[in-house]
Amino acid sequence: MKEAVTARRVPTPERPPEQRLRDFDEVNLGYTFELAVEEAKRCLQCPVEEAPCAKACPVHIKIPLFIEKLRRYSDARTAVKEALRVIWRDNLLPAITGRVCPQELLCEAACAKGRVGEPINIGKLERFVADYAREHGIDDELLEEQLPRVEAKRGRVAVIGAGPSSLTCASELAKIGYKVTIFEALHKPGGVLLFGVPEFRLPKKVLEKEVERLKRLGVEFKLNCIVGKTITLDEIRREYDAVFIATGAGTPKLLNIPGILLNDVYSANEFLTRVNLMKAHKFPEYDTPVRVGRKVIVIGAGNTAMDAARTARRLGAEVIIAYRRGREDVTARAEEVRHALEEGVRFMFFVTPIEILGDERGNVRAVKFMKMKPLEERNRESKRKIMPTGETVVVEADTVIIAIGLVPNKLIWENVPELEVTSEGTLKVDGDLMTSIPGVFAGGDIVRGEATVIEGMGDGRKAAKAIHQYIQRSKHQQAILKV
Amino acid sequence: MRWNSTGYRITGKADLNAEDFFVEVEAPEVAERWRPGSFVILLLHEKGERIPLSVQKVRDGRLSLLVKRLGKSSWQLYREYGVGSEVAHLAGPLGKPIELKEYGNVVVVSDLVCGHAENYAISSALREINGNYVISIQSFKDRSEVYPEEFLTKDVCHEFWLTTLNGSAGIKGHFLDVVAKLLEERDIDIIFGGGELASLWRLAELTKPYGIPTIVTVRQIMVDGTGMCGSCRVLVDGKIKFACVDGPMFDAHKVSFEDALRRLTRFEREEKLALERYLRGGAP
């Protein structure tokens, strides 16, 4: 009887869809302390060294250990502080990863409890620890204890880009006494967390707090600074002991089909940047506009497609997500797909756009799709291969949003011939994430192409270690040379 | 290196005509890097939009920008941001500058505020290079629109032509008329153009039969200006290019002007609404 109860997760409250569609506030309200403890008690407490969840986590958070802290202390403040201490050892941005990680494919997929029932809700527990700590000033308290005791004089490191990988690398280095400067092209830090992920999935106040914490660690932000334009990589190298490049995969892929230049055809990046970064949903209070018609078609089925679709729903449109593969190959987080469905987003599978049709004024009127069919054969990502059926279908729409992925922005390497680049435009790195230029490291999507936030953060952490070793080694060599 | 992360001081401002004005902004790190052909993005305040602007020249770490009062942001810049005040953000230089080299006989034309700024920048830079003979042509509707002398390209080229549509100043006509004449009478090696897209389209058609390289600024709506959003995409030689990073200057003979012109009107309704609301005093 008891087993039957604990086989199921303690649910986290969510706001009803009809209420969600009226604003951009967060969907999931997260655990209270009592609910978090109840969920924590379901954990089987595998030994940390062998815990499958920790192994599956790209940054290897000691998950059973932080969950144990929640169970051990009856006082919420102490429990959260100790749990946060455990998490921070491996991940300084738990409020973010708790919200944007695809846990169902990582830690929760590996969870031993999952074999007999529902896996532990690790993502929501992580988020609870981070949120409770932030709301009660516990993170500030812990930070105070951990602030570097020494003046930042171990060396100077430049970090290019202000997304998740950069923020992680910067904080790791700042914590051990490096003076870190972050160079960001936009007018605010955050990268994809700022312009890509919508408010209803990651409230910007959460991000702002993380940035504030970095500033308290002594990290300096140079905004409006486009490396490769405002300043060159060479100039930065002259002033800093090492460089970490994490400029992401910033350039949207567009379809090579007729009609791509019609007026209301957006890349998901443009659509989301207008809303998330520029607050176009508050136009005309904010100056940047966005136009969404009555019927929106979103092409693609990744997280960005869900974000664009759900944003368009909130702006009052009917939304169809069109995907060339089937339901089982949707790449978005399971929770985002569920939320999209609850919010009335409809899906069309096995269709690929072949033309966007316009009216005489150049506005979108419909999208013409080729119907696809799946084959038994699978591709390298073990997705079923697809082929055109020859049959087409025309679906009415007045706005089209293309969310088929991104490629690296070439601005960073365009004028730096020494920086070796792959045919995909990503930077080549060695096992220590060092590029072809000594002392210049890189990580996140500029290396991986398109990966998750947590993988980018894992790179940031790994690079921080490698940078530390690199700088200490070169200082040591310089000292020897002087003798 | 002196850095402005936020807050860029306005150090100069003047009327050019009833609609256009000059504004000078202090941004040493951008000014140092700027070259003719590239542009900057300006953001007035935290609720503002990112607006691309053409640079006329730089001096002492300051950028001279020429702006038309057209939408809400340019009106607000004109009305509320005086000398000594600060705009929130400025980023650049963006886009690819032109190659500064010996071209031979160069014609530079413009008929709109951004084009006039670019004309000044390009003419003055190319005139400094031995072997170039720079003919600069500026077109205005009528006499009342003609800029004060120091903002004209008169002193930064070898040969200056001023035209007005009604002939009230300079010669009567448009730069297209002058170019047509020059094409017949002179050996022209290259033409640079900026301003109204419709005029640049006609310029492209005019020079194509002569096979004269024609490089024009394709003005488009931008958001980030760093190649991240694709709002400014232009079809060039059948391929999608981003005006912000691949341009803004392209080979006019390869640009799909029809698409470019239409995409400029994407937010016409919203732009009108925002401006009317602002002029009514509805927005701070």
Side-chain angles (χ1 to χ4, degrees):
Chain A
M1 184 64 201
K2 193 163 184 259
E3 201 47 46
V5 174
T6 60
R8 299 200 65 87
R9 291 176 158 191
V10 177
T12 47
E14 286 185 354
R15 298 195 302 131
E18 57 282 8
Q19 191 189 85
R20 273 142 55 181
L21 287 175
R22 288 197 295 265
D23 60 41
F24 278 75
D25 294 344
E26 211 170 5
V27 170
N28 192 297
L29 301 171
Y31 283 130
T32 58
F33 179 60
E34 289 70 26
L35 291 175
V37 171
E38 206 181 312
E39 178 67 10
K41 282 184 177 157
R42 294 179 61 235
C43 177
L44 298 176
Q45 287 292 295
C46 306
V48 172
E49 307 73 45
E50 288 151 38
C53 53
K55 275 189 190 155
C57 171
V59 298
H60 309 301
I61 299 174
K62 293 166 194 68
I63 295 164
L65 203 58
F66 96 73
I67 290 181
E68 194 269 333
K69 304 293 180 197
L70 292 177
R71 290 156 44 139
R72 189 195 300 184
Y73 302 99
S74 56
D75 162 44
R77 270 195 91 85
T78 315
V80 167
K81 188 171 175 182
E82 293 314 307
L84 187 66
R85 196 191 299 275
V86 172
I87 296 173
W88 269 10
R89 260 183 244 154
D90 302 295
N91 173 15
L92 279 155
L93 308 168
I96 292 169
T97 49
R99 287 174 166 87
V100 304
C101 256
Q103 292 94 358
E104 76 272 13
L105 301 176
L106 301 167
C107 54
E108 293 175 13
C111 175
K113 184 86 182 177
R115 283 177 234 148
V116 291
E118 287 180 335
I120 303 299
N121 200 341
I122 301 168
K124 293 292 185 293
L125 286 177
E126 183 189 26
R127 174 183 152 179
F128 161 75
V129 171
D131 285 357
Y132 192 94
R134 186 183 62 252
E135 283 152 18
H136 296 81
I138 298 167
D139 54 346
D140 292 336
E141 206 177 289
L142 193 60
L143 183 71
E144 205 59 50
E145 291 173 22
Q146 299 189 349
L147 276 183
R149 296 282 165 257
V150 283
E151 277 272 309
K153 55 186 174 192
R154 276 192 129 144
R156 286 161 58 80
V157 180
V159 172
I160 307 177
S165 193
S166 295
L167 297 180
T168 306
C169 186
S171 60
E172 294 286 348
L173 287 167
K175 265 179 24 182
I176 55 171
Y178 284 93
K179 179 82 193 111
V180 182
T181 307
I182 292 183
F183 294 82
E184 166 57 43
L186 291 176
H187 57 280
K188 281 182 190 172
V192 68
L193 303 171
L194 176 73
F195 67 76
V197 182
E199 181 78 19
F200 54 79
R201 203 143 81 75
L202 176 67
K204 296 297 163 271
K205 64 168 197 283
V206 171
L207 178 62
E208 279 160 19
K209 185 66 195 274
E210 302 301 343
V211 169
E212 237 174 75
R213 184 179 308 141
L214 253 65
K215 286 183 182 163
R216 286 200 52 205
L217 280 167
V219 174
E220 188 190 359
F221 287 84
K222 301 249 188 250
L223 304 174
N224 303 319
C225 181
I226 307 127
V227 176
K229 292 286 180 190
T230 319
I231 187 169
T232 64
L233 186 59
D234 260 348
E235 286 173 295
I236 291 180
R237 285 180 62 209
R238 260 177 261 139
E239 283 196 36
Y240 294 84
D241 300 311
V243 181
F244 180 57
I245 303 175
T247 47
T251 300
K253 282 191 223 167
L254 291 163
L255 291 160
N256 193 14
I257 58 171
I260 195 73
L261 284 150
L262 289 170
N263 280 2
D264 286 328
V265 179
Y266 295 91
S267 74
N269 254 22
E270 181 188 352
F271 181 70
L272 290 171
T273 300
R274 283 182 180 274
V275 177
N276 296 339
L277 175 68
M278 306 309 294
K279 307 260 182 275
H281 57 296
K282 294 187 183 168
F283 175 87
E285 182 199 344
Y286 283 73
D287 293 338
T288 305
V290 68
R291 266 164 65 106
V292 182
R294 287 181 37 246
K295 288 186 172 176
V296 176
I297 291 179
V298 178
I299 314 282
N303 284 320
T304 308
M306 301 304 142
D307 288 344
R310 297 172 62 201
T311 299
R313 282 292 290 140
R314 281 161 175 76
L315 295 173
E318 281 175 39
V319 182
I320 294 174
I321 287 181
Y323 186 38
R324 65 200 165 112
R325 300 181 185 279
R327 186 179 302 268
E328 67 279 11
D329 289 328
V330 166
T331 52
R333 288 176 83 224
E335 189 181 21
E336 310 315 325
V337 177
R338 179 170 60 79
H339 284 163
L341 285 165
E342 286 170 4
E343 289 163 11
V345 173
R346 288 183 295 152
F347 285 76
M348 273 175 77
F349 293 109
F350 296 113
V351 285
T352 196
I354 52 173
E355 185 177 359
I356 304 169
L357 306 165
D359 62 17
E360 66 290 345
R361 294 204 314 272
N363 295 323
V364 174
R365 118 182 120 72
V367 179
K368 189 175 183 182
F369 292 98
M370 171 65 69
K371 290 191 182 173
M372 308 299 282
K373 65 176 177 200
L375 304 172
E376 284 314 308
E377 210 184 325
R378 290 179 183 266
N379 68 9
R380 269 179 302 168
E381 292 153 334
S382 77
K383 289 178 174 167
R384 276 189 295 169
K385 288 192 174 174
I386 46 169
M387 66 169 287
T389 60
E391 201 185 326
T392 61
V393 57
V394 172
V395 183
E396 257 184 56
D398 45 26
T399 305
V400 175
I401 301 172
I402 316 278
I404 57 166
L406 303 161
V407 291
N409 194 325
K410 62 191 176 190
L411 275 186
I412 188 72
W413 50 255
E414 208 175 28
N415 297 314
V416 190
E418 317 88 277
L419 211 46
E420 279 181 38
V421 176
T422 68
S423 55
E424 278 93 48
T426 54
L427 295 180
K428 283 189 189 168
V429 292
D430 66 14
D432 278 336
L433 299 180
M434 189 150 87
T435 65
S436 52
I437 303 178
V440 177
F441 297 75
D445 283 359
I446 189 69
V447 169
R448 293 172 176 268
E450 273 183 281
T452 56
V453 164
I454 187 75
E455 287 167 300
M457 287 166 50
D459 285 353
R461 203 175 144 74
K462 188 174 165 188
K465 276 188 194 138
I467 286 170
H468 173 52
Q469 279 165 6
Y470 170 84
I471 293 179
Q472 295 314 309
R473 205 165 49 229
S474 38
K475 294 219 157 151
H476 184 66
Q477 277 162 0
Q478 277 165 16
I480 292 172
L481 286 176
K482 269 183 203 159
V483 177
Chain B
M1 212 181 317
R2 203 182 105 357
W3 280 94
N4 282 331
S5 228
T6 52
Y8 297 78
R9 201 158 60 93
I10 293 181
T11 49
K13 206 171 169 187
D15 281 320
L16 298 175
N17 60 31
E19 283 185 337
D20 300 354
F21 63 101
F22 146 84
V23 59
E24 189 186 61
V25 185
E26 195 170 48
E29 62 280 10
V30 182
E32 194 190 318
R33 294 279 142 179
W34 172 85
R35 298 289 177 273
S38 47
F39 61 97
V40 297
I41 291 245
L42 185 123
L43 185 58
L44 290 181
H45 47 77
E46 297 310 322
K47 292 182 177 181
E49 57 186 333
R50 294 171 66 93
I51 44 174
L53 290 173
S54 301
V55 180
Q56 180 215 5
K57 62 176 179 185
V58 298
R59 69 173 179 101
D60 305 334
R62 298 163 179 186
L63 302 156
S64 296
L65 309 171
L66 305 190
V67 190
K68 184 178 280 300
R69 268 175 284 162
L70 198 64
K72 189 235 160 178
S73 296
S74 48
W75 267 93
Q76 191 169 26
L77 174 61
Y78 181 78
R79 277 190 175 176
E80 298 175 33
Y81 291 78
V83 172
S85 66
E86 283 185 351
V87 295
H89 302 281
L90 189 141
L94 293 155
K96 291 198 195 314
I98 63 160
E99 206 183 331
L100 297 180
K101 62 169 190 183
E102 182 187 330
Y103 290 99
N105 291 332
V106 182
V107 174
V108 192
V109 299
S110 57
D111 64 351
L112 188 68
V113 62
C114 48
H116 293 317
E118 290 148 13
N119 190 335
Y120 190 100
I122 292 170
S123 295
S124 49
L126 293 184
R127 194 186 69 157
E128 298 304 312
I129 295 167
N130 274 338
N132 283 336
Y133 180 80
V134 180
I135 305 168
S136 175
I137 314 169
Q138 289 188 284
S139 297
F140 296 89
K141 271 200 207 89
D142 61 48
R143 181 183 200 88
S144 68
E145 272 198 7
V146 177
Y147 292 172
E149 238 171 61
E150 67 268 33
F151 291 97
L152 295 176
T153 57
K154 204 172 166 181
D155 298 328
V156 295
C157 61
H158 296 99
E159 187 177 326
F160 176 68
W161 296 72
L162 175 73
T163 83
T164 51
L165 295 184
N166 58 10
S168 53
I171 62 164
K172 187 175 174 185
H174 186 265
F175 70 62
L176 290 162
D177 304 313
V178 182
V179 169
K181 201 163 147 275
L182 291 174
L183 287 171
E184 285 301 322
E185 295 170 4
R186 315 264 280 266
D187 280 333
I188 305 297
D189 294 298
I190 191 165
I191 300 187
F192 293 97
E196 293 284 5
L197 276 184
S199 314
L200 300 175
W201 190 356
R202 287 175 61 199
L203 177 71
E205 286 174 345
L206 192 60
T207 61
K208 199 167 185 182
Y210 293 85
I212 294 173
T214 305
I215 312 296
V216 298
T217 303
V218 182
R219 196 161 49 89
Q220 287 290 293
I221 296 168
M222 295 181 184
V223 185
D224 62 290
T226 62
M228 216 180 73
C229 82
S231 167
C232 65
R233 62 187 180 271
V234 181
L235 204 60
V236 183
D237 207 11
K239 294 190 188 71
I240 288 176
K241 298 281 178 190
F242 290 181
C244 64
V245 288
D246 303 314
M249 305 198 81
F250 293 108
D251 178 345
H253 298 148
K254 293 180 177 165
V255 171
S256 165
F257 284 100
E258 194 184 342
D259 290 310
L261 261 169
R262 195 197 53 244
R263 284 187 64 82
L264 270 185
T265 65
R266 286 173 71 204
F267 297 100
E268 224 169 28
R269 213 171 51 207
E270 290 76 9
E271 285 158 6
K272 193 163 169 264
L273 187 106
L275 178 61
E276 281 169 3
R277 183 171 178 270
Y278 176 71
L279 294 178
R280 274 201 317 269

